[in-house]
Amino acid sequence: MGVRGLQGFVGSTCPHICTVVNFKELAEQHQSKHPGCSPSVVVDALCCLRYWYTPESWVCGGQWKEYFAVLRNFVRTFTAVGIKLIFFFDGMVEQGKRDVWVKRRLKNNREIARIFHYIKSHREQPGRNMFFIPSGLAIFTRLALKALGQETLCSLREADYEVASYGLQSHCLGILGEDTDYLVYDTCPYFSISELCLDSLSTIMLCREKLCESLGLRLADLPLLACLLGNDVVPEGAFEVFRHRCLASYTAIKENWDRRGSAVLAVADHIAKVLRVHQGEKKLEEMLPLGPNKALFYKGMASYLLPGQQSPWISQKAKVIATLDKPVVFMSSDPESKQEVPMSTDPEFKQEDPMSTDPETKQEDPINTKPEIKQQVTMVSDTEILKVARARHVQAESYLVYNIMSRGEIECSNTLEDALDQALPSQAFVYRPVRQRVYCLLLAEGRDDLSSSPPVQEWFVYAGNPLRHPDLVRPLQMTVPGGMPSLRQLWLNQEPGTQVRRVDVLLACFDLFSSREELQAVESAFQALCCLLIYLFVQVDTLSLEDLHAFIAQAVCLQGKSAAQLEDVQLDYIDSRAVQLGSLLVRGLTMLVLVNSACGFPWRTSDFMPWNVFDGKLFHEKYLQSEKGCSTEALVEQNRSWLATFQQLKSVVCKACQREDRRIVNRQLWRPHQSGRWGRQGPGSHRTSSGQSRSGQGQHWRDQGPGNRQYEPDTWRRHSSSSGWSN
């Protein structure tokens, strides 16, 4: 994230650009200068996740009630001194940054493998040095902040550009984050979240003006420096030879030079003493070895130009091209806001980027060629519905819906899953049928024949997937009694009875309409959880009655526990299977967010927020107790009211599963299978929905070839014995 080597350079070679500031004092100064105008700070939320997640336990699925309390305290502390916070979240991965995204996900896979190796070796959580954020933390942080009444926005591209734009145009006190790109943007001051002391509200301000003074550069030179060093647009290796040459020249004339940060100093020296001397006389590509990286280089330079800004390093003819990759950015949660970036990459109106490295690009020299502008076809034809989806996306109300409808592409980052445990399927496969039915709802536009529907590109992380290509996943037909309503009916219709139809479609997305009556009898706070548990236990045959008891018991007991009580829960040991089950359930809760928003919000979002229905340590405690054979009375802590709720929820789930020919049994009734797998008496582990079942291909689901595989909308069926599961 950010400019390669710049963070280390600042810390080791240029620490004087860091100044201790106090937000309370800054707010008072602002109010003195601008009476009646509240000071504001724009927050790059994804940079803050590690800072916010302070609960000691992180491998069990997340301490969500504790985490919610942390966020509430964070907001209250700033509010108490009169500072308004505006939170930005990444809304999608830009195509030009997909390679960087993939590289990070593969690195995370290796970290997760080490975490599970440690857990199985030591039966305890690793130290904080191996910390990995709980699954779903970003989306649920977004929803938690909205629940706390905070202005929360979701970007139409990676968030750093929109954060910098908002901070500049809204005259914010500054940006709170942890990304050296904020030292490069010519925007409001940049404050470090990692150095923030919440008690005193003091932190470090990193001054780009002082950085320029130390390097002998101007503010307008910083984007050039960033691209030559490497960032999320320009790979670090693109100009490695150039940096070595700069370093050789620089060290030849310097005595007692310090290797730390020397590459930054050497490149800056070359910009100041060589490039600037010939600026105006020669084009930049004549002075730098851009070669095949020319288009990418100029795109990287342009990515730092905020609305109304220009670069002296980009020629006049290139200025039009340099702004083509800028999206429309809403500077308000109001979708009708007029504060926008002039050029747009929103799929409703997208210009082709002539500086793209796509081999189909016909312009040989982007500097001397006028851009070709063309309309991009979106996945849906109803522009009004797309506008509604876009507004809900920007206002951080929906999840993945606009990505599906506008680009037909979604991604899901790493989950704490054990790649060596083949008894549990990856969440990417477990919830794929739900996503396919959502694709039908959002993209089919009432068509009965889905064969012509384009596939959605899924970038999902799972074991064995090198992420070279997305999985191409087609919509799956679903049956809704009374017929499938249109999105206009679900989203815009306020007539009586519409809410009932929304619930019908939601249940159809989980293929659980037959369980409607049982679910209606459940207390509203547990309806969503029961829906998810029924779906999970029908899909994954390796889940046992003990697992069900643990899931239900923790949800019931959670209602009567405070964050402080949950913090005090002590576990005898950590079980790797329980770790994966916790993450599997939390990913299911994110699917509920997707389905609920796609169906027009039939259920209250609060009913399936993890701080209301799931706690990692509490689930782990109940899991260990259930595995030991503890009674249901013991699982619900001898509470009669909780016991009654437990029995009701268990009955609903078991009856619904039995209707689907899925009998949930004790683990003792199973017999161990080779390689440590568990096999049920009967069909195999996991129901699948590709055109050919994975068992039909003679492969276990773990053995599928990832990437660019077409997943067709056929009837889901469980594995036969050819999948490697015993009969």
Side-chain angles (χ1 to χ4, degrees), residues 13 45 115 126 129 167 174 220 251 264 295 313 347 403 435 545 581 601 622 627 657 686 726:
T13 308
I115 290 170
N129 62 311
T251 56
V264 177
W313 295 106
N403 306 58
R435 298 193 300 275
L545 193 61
L581 286 180
F601 306 98
K622 303 304 178 185
E627 286 291 299
C657 288
H686 166 58
S726 58

Side-chain angles (χ1 to χ4, degrees), residues 333-501:
S333 58
D334 178 8
E336 301 300 322
S337 171
K338 301 299 182 182
Q339 302 179 54
E340 300 175 344
V341 179
M343 306 301 287
S344 171
T345 55
D346 185 80
E348 294 178 53
F349 182 78
K350 181 174 180 180
Q351 298 89 354
E352 182 183 19
D353 184 1
M355 297 172 62
S356 168
T357 56
D358 190 315
E360 295 183 3
T361 302
K362 296 181 179 179
Q363 291 87 344
E364 183 178 348
D365 184 355
I367 300 303
N368 297 317
T369 307
K370 292 184 179 180
E372 176 188 352
I373 298 178
K374 70 178 182 180
Q375 195 85 8
Q376 175 180 336
V377 179
T378 58
M379 300 288 283
V380 296
S381 58
D382 191 330
T383 55
E384 183 179 357
I385 282 296
L386 194 63
K387 184 179 179 181
V388 173
R390 183 183 187 275
R392 290 176 176 175
H393 172 94
V394 171
Q395 295 165 28
E397 294 175 352
S398 65
Y399 174 57
L400 296 181
V401 170
Y402 184 64
N403 306 58
I404 295 166
M405 299 179 71
S406 63
R407 304 194 309 167
E409 182 178 34
I410 62 172
E411 54 275 323
C412 181
S413 188
N414 304 77
T415 303
L416 278 180
E417 296 176 335
D418 184 2
L420 301 180
D421 179 7
Q422 298 196 15
L424 286 174
S426 169
Q427 63 89 20
F429 297 129
V430 172
Y431 299 114
R432 177 170 280 163
V434 177
R435 298 193 300 275
Q436 287 181 285
R437 295 186 185 100
V438 170
Y439 302 157
C440 174
L441 172 64
L442 298 178
L443 305 179
E445 299 182 318
R447 293 191 298 268
D448 292 329
D449 182 10
L450 298 180
S451 60
S452 61
S453 298
V456 173
Q457 300 181 61
E458 290 190 350
W459 294 90
F460 273 61
V461 182
Y462 53 85
N465 186 2
L467 295 170
R468 295 191 187 96
H469 308 282
D471 288 337
L472 305 181
V473 182
R474 293 191 179 277
L476 177 65
Q477 190 65 265
M478 60 179 175
T479 302
V480 181
M484 173 76 79
S486 68
L487 289 181
R488 283 177 173 265
Q489 291 173 307
L490 291 174
W491 292 8
L492 306 178
N493 195 335
Q494 301 302 321
E495 294 179 3
T498 302
Q499 194 71 354
V500 174
R501 298 291 286 144

Side-chain angles (χ1 to χ4, degrees), residues 201-221:
L201 275 179
S202 62
T203 188
I204 296 296
M205 180 181 73
L206 292 88
C207 180
R208 59 184 67 89
E209 288 78 11
K210 289 183 179 180
L211 175 64
C212 287
E213 182 181 340
S214 299
L215 297 174
L217 299 178
R218 304 167 300 188
L219 286 175
D221 298 331

Side-chain angles (χ1 to χ4, degrees), residues 52 129 143 248 277 282 302 313 335 360 368 382 412 476 499 515 528 546 560 580 625 629 662 664:
W52 287 329
N129 62 311
L143 295 170
V277 171
K282 298 180 180 180
W313 295 106
E360 295 183 3
N368 297 317
D382 191 330
C412 181
L476 177 65
Q499 194 71 354
S515 302
E546 290 87 349
Q580 187 161 339
Q625 291 173 351
R662 166 70 160 101
I664 306 174

Side-chain angles (χ1 to χ4, degrees), residues 161-162 165 169 305-308 323 326-331 338-344:
Y161 182 88
E162 298 192 18
S165 298
Q169 296 188 6
L305 298 180
L306 302 180
T323 58
K326 299 293 186 294
V328 169
V329 180
F330 285 121
M331 295 307 158
K338 301 299 182 182
Q339 302 179 54
E340 300 175 344
V341 179
M343 306 301 287
S344 171

